[in-house]
Every structure is written in structure tokens, then in C-alpha cells.
């Protein structure tokens, strides 16, 4: 049994498990490509134009800078994306984040008072957006880059309606 099934109660049903939309990886991947090409170009230039000791020092410096930028601008955001989970079950909404330090939030379906979504032109092109969940006792919680946000909104709204007990014989 894998994550998120490990976090569920024995009779709890998983309805949706997703990571943030892949569009949040565009800049990290672009950085990876550009920095790697630039490091390769500079490495070739240094190899052709410098003496052996200077060449070795400059190549190690280029490698160190390349690795630092790669870890800072690409590896970190990719790990953040991979370690962020948005989960909907038949009882609650779970959000889990973090690589070294984990944080989590559970919202019981019965505590959700409203579900909204928002997305602009670019988000609509990528089929993503921001999901806003209103809880009966707190400020609304906003989650960015939810894939297929309109479908998730409809699913969550349906789950909240199903979880809400009906009164008065309706």
C-alpha cells in the first residue's frame, strides 16, 4: 500500500490524489536546460583557450556554479512539486507538503461551507487554477495550481453535498 492510502482510515475511500499542475515545473525545467547549455558552452570555451592548471580550476568552478544553480532553481522546486499532495476522500480533504519538514492539513467534509475556483486565461489554457475552500470556522484556504480545477471543484462540491446531512425530510 502506497501513499496516500497509508494516511487513510480503514474504511475511508480515496476519490482524488493529485500533485500541483505541471505548469509550475516550466521555469525549473527551463532553468535546467539553459544553465546546462551555458555551462557546456563555457566548459568548451575554457577547454580551448586556457592552460592545464587554469583550465582545471575554471572547469571545477563552472561545475560548482552549475550544480549550485541546478539545486537551487531546479531540484528544489521539482522536489516541492513531487512532495505536495492534494487528496480528496469520502470524508475529508487532505493537503500534505514538504520534503524535510512535512506539514499537513485535514478538512472534514462536514466543516466545508463553500467551494470556489478561480483561473485566468493562461490557467484555462493549461486547465488549472486556484481552488478556494471555505471552512465554517476559519479564513478560506486557497490552493494554487490544482489540475482540472473545474472538475475538482465539481467533485468536491458533490462530496460536500453528499457528506452534509439533510434535515427536514428533503
Amino acid at each position: 500500500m502506497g501513499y496516500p492510502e497509508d494516511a487513510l482510515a480503514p474504511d475511508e475511500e480515496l476519490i482524488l490524489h493529485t500533485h500541483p499542475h505541471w505548469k509550475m515545473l516550466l521555469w525549473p525545467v527551463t532553468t535546467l536546460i539553459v544553465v546546462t547549455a551555458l555551462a557546456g558552452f563555457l566548459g568548451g570555451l575554457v577547454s580551448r583557450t586556457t592552460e592545464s592548471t587554469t583550465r582545471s580550476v575554471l572547469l571545477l568552478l563552472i561545475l560548482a556554479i552549475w550544480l549550485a544553480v541546478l539545486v537551487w532553481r531546479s531540484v528544489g522546486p521539482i522536489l516541492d512539486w513531487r512532495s505536495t499532495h492534494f487528496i480528496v476522500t469520502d470524508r475529508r480533504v487532505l493537503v500534505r507538503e514538504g520534503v524535510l519538514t512535512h506539514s499537513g492539513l485535514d478538512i472534514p467534509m462536514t466543516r466545508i461551507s463553500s467551494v470556489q475556483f478561480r483561473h485566468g486565461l493562461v490557467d484555462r489554457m493549461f486547465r488549472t487554477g486556484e481552488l478556494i475552500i471555505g471552512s465554517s470556522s476559519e479564513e478560506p484556504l486557497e490552493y494554487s495550481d490544482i489540475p482540472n480545477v473545474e472538475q475538482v471543484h465539481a467533485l468536491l462540491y458533490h462530496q460536500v453535498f453528499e457528506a452534509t446531512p439533510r434535515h427536514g425530510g428533503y
Side-chain angles (χ1 to χ4, degrees):
M1 187 184 299
Y3 190 81
E5 290 85 6
D6 296 347
L8 303 181
D11 57 344
E12 192 171 15
E13 180 184 344
L14 177 66
I15 296 170
L16 173 73
H17 174 218
T18 189
H19 296 280
H21 194 272
W22 58 264
K23 90 169 184 163
M24 74 180 285
L25 298 176
L26 286 176
W27 286 118
V29 170
T30 301
T31 300
L32 168 70
I33 293 168
V34 169
V35 169
T36 301
L38 186 60
F41 173 76
L42 290 174
L45 186 64
V46 165
S47 293
R48 287 184 171 180
T49 60
T50 59
E51 297 295 324
S52 64
T53 305
T54 306
R55 179 184 314 144
S56 297
V57 170
L58 288 176
L59 287 175
L60 285 174
L61 183 63
I62 290 169
L63 179 64
I65 292 171
W66 174 77
L67 277 174
V69 172
L70 197 67
V71 167
W72 175 47
R73 300 296 294 173
S74 294
V75 175
I78 290 169
L79 286 175
D80 284 344
W81 173 82
R82 185 73 179 123
S83 66
T84 300
H85 302 269
F86 184 81
I87 302 161
V88 177
T89 73
D90 58 340
R91 295 184 189 171
R92 58 191 169 143
V93 174
L94 298 88
V95 179
R96 300 290 187 262
E97 298 175 304
V99 177
L100 298 176
T101 303
H102 291 345
S103 65
L105 176 70
D106 293 7
I107 308 167
M109 290 294 178
T110 56
R111 303 279 292 168
I112 296 174
S113 60
S114 66
V115 182
Q116 304 172 33
F117 71 91
R118 177 178 28 218
H119 56 167
L121 180 61
V122 173
D123 284 341
R124 286 190 303 221
M125 289 174 18
F126 282 111
R127 297 178 55 203
T128 183
E130 187 173 13
L131 187 67
I132 301 129
I133 300 174
S135 176
S136 57
S137 64
E138 300 175 12
E139 292 289 319
L141 303 167
E142 299 182 7
Y143 301 102
S144 300
D145 296 319
I146 300 293
N148 301 310
V149 70
E150 290 184 59
Q151 292 174 352
V152 174
H153 169 265
L155 172 82
L156 194 53
Y157 185 82
H158 177 72
Q159 283 301 119
V160 169
F161 179 73
E162 292 277 323
T164 304
R166 297 181 188 182
H167 300 287
Y170 293 110

